[in-house]
Amino acid sequence: MENLQIIDTVCTYCGVGCDIAASVSNNRVQSISAHPEGVVSEGKLCVKGKYGFGFLESPDRLKTPRIKRRFLEENPEILKAIEPDLIELDERWYECSLEGAIKAAALKLQEIRDRYGARSLASIGGARTSCESAYLLQKFTRETLGSPHVDNCARVCHAPSLKGMRTTIGEGAATNPYNDIYNTEFMIVIGSNTTEAHPIISNRIVDMASKHDNLAVFDVREITLHRFAKYKGIIPHECNLLILNMMAYVIITEELFSESFIQNRTVGFEEFKAQILSDPLANPRYFEEIEGYEYLSKLIPKVAREYALKKSMIFWGLGVTEHVDGSYSVMAIVHLALMTGNVGKSGAGLMPLRGQNNVQGACDMGMLPYYAPDYQSPKEEGLTTPELIDEMLEGRVKGVLNMGEDLMHIHPNLNKMERALGKLELLVVQELFETEIAKRADILIGVKSAYEKTGVYINAMRRLHLSQPLVQSDLPDDWEVISRLGRELGGSYEYGDSKAIWDEVREVAYRRFSGASYQRLERHRVRGLQWPVHTEDTPILHQLDFRTEDGCGHFFYHAYKPRGMILDISQKSLSGYYLTTGRTLAQYNNASQTKRSEKLHRRYEEDILLMNDKEAGALGSNRVILRSEHGQSAPLWVKPSDKISPKTLFCTFHHASSRINHLFGDRCDEFTLTAAFKSIKVEIIKA
């Protein structure tokens, strides 16, 4: 093929961060494959990595900035200032130049700040863009606007992992590289449908489980990984903390813990031990009274023993974090590692499976209300996204900058979200397409995708990868929009390129990134570097000390409180259905990219509800509506399955038209306010 180039970069989808090699001709991607020497991909890609590039040429890409007619009617001074720049598009939008859109946004931001104060402004960033853009957005918000309110989409996924791990061991990131799976003797996967959500990691897990029969899997439904598991745990909804505490109870009562590790590297164990031994719900025999799940009383001790006596790793996903006790459950996972010495060495560690390509990086860059870059304390703590929504409803937050997070699709309680956004005086959105949040923008700016720009991305194992563009685009990068807006408001944002921003990151966040120059990242583009990076990088954390102030791991016991399905079963009152949600392999999150890649979209064009085959057969209808106390879904196709337990339902959330997130209210993790997406009681209505 004429002018064919092979260009290396990083996959734009999940947090695995696969290295890819794209065949590009005449500024068009022809195909994508795994890099043959890729440390992450090991020469394999999932279907999204291979075929999920069609969105680049989608006819509905946002090419020209837009401004709502209604916004200009309500702001005649702004209309007057940019009127020569406006071109009529349709009954809702004008188009204008990037300069006009920036000027309009700056005028309104200045007006809101002067009238209501800096805290009336907030920025919410997605984790789909580069570290450079995430860093600059939080800097612009904190320093130029003067507002402490910055947050990112970790709020709906792994914020409890950050909280739980930092509380116990001082660092909220994976402790080991993926290839340590080949060095482990035992693995536990809990709350992660890894084959669907992180398939290239699951390849390693399946390979080891097939050879060594050393895998335990806990989930509310039977997933593909159960086929390869020695211990197959199908569990009631909302009982992760219960099971993890029971494992700790077994390790303590049978004296399987590592006395030397506990004595030399932890504090608080004796109090933790006393608390757990006095908690009647920590004894696995509790499950003898839970009808349909009695077998767990014997399975849990077996898993605990094998975990304690072997070099072991634990993997978890949103099935752990998206609950009211998500942070406590992560702490309980860390407790198991601390008790047994299964951390700080090859083949033993803790692996939160991150959802998005740069959710680790967005947090590292300080796109959080309570952390500045490098997880330092900010001058002033801001509010989380759920708190900001309440502030919008109360009329105290008036303007929001949104960088690629679809608030109107991925967040819970969307009826409330719609009311909150309706009260804003300004919503600026940077996006690739007219997503659900983009439809509600006052000013909408199209930006480059990950495959069209240079930037650093950090995957789930702390691996930095310097991406490079596969194709050239005239659209601005996210950081360029922010930089222009900063200059318009009088700030100093003279960055010539993304490297200049990254060099500033290396100075500000030197504890992790001082040695990670573009030059080194270019040289190690296929391997990547794991932070902290100084003279060398750091594949395994906590080998000598934990990253707490005293260098020790800390125990904090929290007792499980019966609720939901467990409570219903124990009280003989189980009725209705409990719904959980998750991904399917062919689509990704809000599907804004995957549904515009034909080979992916035709595999999964709508969300489908999985239901126990016997219960589905008794329905007499193959299309239903789900209703909760908060709202109801659109009609959903029912797919009978013998892998789904009675009274349990599973549905994906990729298509906004399904209205799945209208079912969820404000129940959330008590520390991070991460929504409890993994369990909601619903009734079924025939459609």
Side-chain angles (χ1 to χ4, degrees), residues 275-520:
Q275 289 174 313
I276 204 166
L277 292 177
S278 64
D279 181 0
L281 294 187
N283 190 326
R285 294 189 64 181
Y286 174 72
F287 271 109
E288 293 175 359
E289 308 302 320
I290 306 300
E291 185 178 353
Y293 297 93
E294 296 90 345
Y295 78 100
L296 290 171
S297 64
K298 292 183 171 59
L299 185 141
I300 291 167
K302 292 177 182 178
V303 175
R305 292 173 193 132
E306 195 150 355
Y307 173 82
L309 295 172
K310 292 184 175 180
K311 192 167 60 171
S312 304
M313 300 181 76
I314 303 182
F315 306 80
W316 71 94
L318 307 192
V320 166
T321 59
E322 289 183 341
H323 286 293
V324 297
D325 53 10
S327 293
Y328 285 124
S329 294
V330 174
M331 292 179 203
I333 288 171
V334 180
H335 294 154
L336 296 175
L338 293 177
M339 282 193 293
T340 59
N342 271 312
V343 64
K345 57 189 178 186
S346 178
L350 301 159
M351 295 289 292
L353 298 174
R354 305 291 189 185
Q356 300 215 50
N357 61 335
N358 202 35
V359 71
Q360 181 69 56
C363 295
D364 296 344
M365 295 302 107
M367 269 303 300
L368 290 165
Y370 35 71
Y371 289 123
D374 225 2
Y375 300 97
Q376 301 304 296
S377 297
K379 293 178 182 177
E380 181 183 1
E381 283 198 13
L383 299 177
T384 65
T385 302
E387 292 169 320
L388 290 171
I389 293 162
D390 289 336
E391 291 292 285
M392 294 176 209
L393 284 168
E394 294 296 324
R396 289 188 285 270
V397 166
K398 299 289 189 179
V400 170
L401 301 180
N402 181 283
M403 185 176 68
E405 180 174 350
D406 195 349
L407 297 172
M408 275 303 302
H409 185 159
I410 68 169
H411 278 260
N413 208 340
L414 291 181
N415 295 321
K416 177 181 177 182
M417 177 72 75
E418 182 118 47
R419 294 196 306 273
L421 294 176
K423 292 206 166 191
L424 292 176
E425 293 187 14
L426 175 66
L427 175 61
V428 180
V429 174
Q430 297 170 212
E431 257 296 356
L432 307 185
F433 305 99
E434 194 174 321
T435 60
E436 295 303 304
I437 185 65
K439 292 174 184 176
R440 291 155 178 84
D442 296 303
I443 300 172
L444 178 57
I445 299 174
V447 292
K448 290 178 178 176
S449 73
Y451 287 160
E452 297 163 323
K453 61 189 179 184
T454 300
V456 174
Y457 294 82
I458 305 177
N459 75 351
M461 65 172 186
R462 297 174 285 110
R463 173 185 178 269
L464 285 76
H465 189 122
L466 180 60
S467 75
Q468 58 182 332
L470 302 182
V471 294
Q472 301 304 310
S473 169
D474 293 331
L475 291 168
D477 200 337
D478 281 306
W479 69 262
E480 292 178 290
V481 175
I482 301 160
S483 185
R484 287 188 176 206
L485 192 53
R487 291 197 297 271
E488 190 76 20
L489 287 168
S492 178
Y493 290 84
E494 303 302 327
Y495 301 102
D497 54 22
S498 60
K499 178 181 178 296
I501 302 173
W502 184 249
D503 285 342
E504 183 173 308
V505 170
R506 291 171 56 214
E507 292 181 12
V508 172
Y510 62 89
R511 297 166 187 84
R512 284 167 177 76
F513 306 116
S514 62
S517 66
Y518 262 33
Q519 183 180 13
R520 285 185 74 184

Side-chain angles (χ1 to χ4, degrees), residues 559-571:
Y560 174 79
K561 299 178 179 65
R563 63 181 188 274
M565 181 179 273
I566 284 271
L567 193 60
D568 285 353
I569 295 173
S570 64
Q571 295 178 347

Side-chain angles (χ1 to χ4, degrees), residues 600-664:
L600 298 179
H601 188 57
R602 67 188 181 202
R603 292 177 181 227
Y604 205 86
E605 295 182 352
E606 63 178 306
D607 291 309
I608 295 173
L609 182 71
L610 299 186
M611 185 178 186
N612 177 267
D613 50 358
K614 293 179 182 177
E615 291 179 332
L619 262 184
S621 174
N622 60 3
R623 206 161 177 85
V624 300
I625 291 168
L626 302 182
R627 178 183 292 162
S628 74
E629 60 181 302
H630 308 290
Q632 68 180 43
S633 72
L636 302 165
W637 281 109
V638 176
K639 183 178 180 180
S641 172
D642 61 357
K643 309 300 183 187
I644 303 288
S645 300
K647 300 299 182 183
T648 286
L649 303 171
F650 171 83
C651 193
T652 55
F653 49 71
H654 300 297
H655 300 282
S657 57
S658 301
R659 296 174 57 88
I660 297 300
N661 284 4
H662 285 78
L663 297 168
F664 297 92

Side-chain angles (χ1 to χ4, degrees), residues 530-543:
Q530 285 180 265
W531 67 247
V533 185
H534 302 298
T535 54
E536 301 288 339
D537 69 340
T538 313
I540 299 175
L541 292 178
H542 314 302
Q543 295 186 74

Side-chain angles (χ1 to χ4, degrees), residues 78 81-82 97-111 113 140 144-145 443 479-494:
I78 295 176
I82 66 167
S97 67
L98 180 59
E99 291 75 14
I102 293 292
K103 186 172 185 178
L107 287 169
K108 192 62 181 179
L109 287 169
Q110 185 70 56
E111 178 195 325
R113 187 174 60 177
F140 168 78
T144 302
L145 295 181
I443 300 172
W479 69 262
E480 292 178 290
V481 175
I482 301 160
S483 185
R484 287 188 176 206
L485 192 53
R487 291 197 297 271
E488 190 76 20
L489 287 168
S492 178
Y493 290 84
E494 303 302 327

